[in-house]
Amino acid sequence: VYMNIALETSEVRRQRLEEWVREYSDMVLRTCYLYLADRALAEDAMQDTFVKVWRGMDRFEGRNGSSVKTWIIRIAINTCKNYQNSAWHRRVDKRKMVEELPAARVSQESRAIFMEVMELPDKLRQVVILYYYHDMNMAEVGDILKISRSAVQHRLKKAHALLRKELEGSGFDET
């Protein structure tokens, strides 16, 4: 009887993970790529993220009202931060990643904005990526970053001001 329960639980966990990988792998990969500026490294970080999700699945259970999406993205961000702390990653040229973006999908203006976003301080870049690039609401961003909704608003406002200043200084027309 105990063996059947264990097998059943293992199968349910496996199915749940497969569902989460199908639903969130693209978002996790994009997040990792934006943080790490290297496709292969982002793919490694995505795999590490889902290994951590597997290990922590039983402890998650929607704690503190978190959604699965915000929980997984938080794990991905922490995984990327660990990668960023490596000596190798500090030598990566983040400007190179823009050249890897598909030209047909990204205009020159979008590239300029993206480059400026990547130059923002980490705390501001995080909220911009999550809010605009992943289309999350302020509550989700706050949950992922473990900050209040008002802190998210403040960081977005500060990021807007910095981006506006940089883009106007470079002759970019906001219209």
Side-chain angles (χ1 to χ4, degrees), residues 5-174:
I5 292 171
L7 288 174
E8 184 177 308
T9 302
S10 178
E11 181 63 20
V12 168
R13 287 181 77 231
R14 186 188 63 73
Q15 288 174 352
R16 188 179 334 155
L17 180 66
E18 286 176 359
E19 178 184 320
W20 290 350
V21 167
R22 272 193 309 276
E23 190 166 342
Y24 302 113
S25 62
D26 287 344
M27 183 180 287
V28 168
L29 182 60
R30 284 193 314 270
T31 300
C32 293
Y33 184 74
L34 289 170
Y35 271 84
L36 300 172
D38 180 275
R39 174 112 183 153
L41 200 57
E43 289 171 353
D44 289 347
M46 180 182 71
Q47 289 177 357
D48 287 347
T49 296
F50 283 108
V51 167
K52 291 174 184 178
V53 165
W54 173 261
R55 289 181 184 152
M57 188 183 291
D58 293 334
R59 293 186 306 272
F60 170 65
E61 298 302 319
R63 62 180 167 198
N64 301 327
S66 294
S67 72
V68 171
K69 177 171 103 175
T70 59
W71 178 65
I72 291 172
I73 294 299
R74 180 75 198 151
I75 292 170
I77 289 170
N78 287 336
T79 300
C80 290
K81 285 180 179 181
N82 291 340
Y83 277 52
Q84 285 175 324
N85 290 332
S86 74
W88 178 87
H89 187 269
R90 286 190 288 267
R91 293 189 299 268
V92 170
D93 179 8
K94 288 189 179 176
R95 294 200 173 264
K96 179 182 164 232
M97 71 185 280
V98 172
E99 299 310 315
E100 295 175 11
L101 292 173
R105 293 185 185 167
V106 182
S107 69
Q108 285 303 106
E109 292 159 344
S110 295
R111 286 176 187 264
I113 293 169
F114 183 77
M115 288 309 305
E116 291 301 331
V117 167
M118 295 310 293
E119 295 298 322
L120 287 172
D122 192 43
K123 288 182 177 183
L124 302 181
R125 185 175 65 242
Q126 288 174 348
V127 296
V128 170
I129 288 170
L130 294 172
Y131 188 76
Y132 290 105
Y133 288 89
H134 289 312
D135 199 29
M136 292 184 178
N137 62 44
M138 288 190 194
E140 290 172 321
V141 173
D143 190 30
I144 289 171
L145 299 177
K146 297 185 183 195
I147 60 176
S148 68
R149 188 176 188 278
S150 63
V152 172
Q153 283 180 304
H154 175 74
R155 289 180 187 183
L156 282 172
K157 186 180 274 188
K158 193 170 182 178
H160 283 152
L162 285 173
L163 289 170
R164 186 175 297 115
K165 180 180 173 187
E166 288 301 317
L167 291 170
E168 285 174 355
S170 65
F172 183 80
D173 184 16
E174 277 190 65

